[in-house]
Amino acid sequence: MGCGRLRRGCVVECHGQEAQIDELVTTSPHFARLWEAHEVVEFRSSLRRYHHPLAGDIEVSFVRLAVQEAPWLSLVCHFPVPGSESERRLRGLVTLPG
């Protein structure tokens, strides 16, 4: 929610996003409360944990790469610690029989 509010502030001329936010505020009391709270947060690299139905528990670090020419766009990359159990499990997903 906070990242969406932060992105909306970057691009004033993004009318499609404004219309979508206006619709959500009107149709979803939950969204309206969250949006009104105005909790804008800066993205910080960190650790995430997932549970994959085949691989089990996976822990990955993630970073956000900014697009210099388009500050409203970014690429978030997730990666396991090299040599970790999470890396082994993710590699196992790549080699699953098709």
Side-chain angles (χ1 to χ4, degrees), residues 52 54-55 58 80 86-98:
H52 189 278
L54 299 176
I58 296 172
S86 292
E87 180 185 44
R88 186 190 67 72
R89 291 176 180 192
L90 285 169
R91 288 189 185 280
L93 288 173
V94 174
T95 59
L96 285 175

Side-chain angles (χ1 to χ4, degrees), residues 17-32:
Q17 187 179 24
E18 287 182 29
Q20 184 180 32
I21 290 168
D22 291 342
E23 179 183 347
L24 285 168
V25 167
T26 303
T27 59
S28 170
H30 179 69
F31 182 88

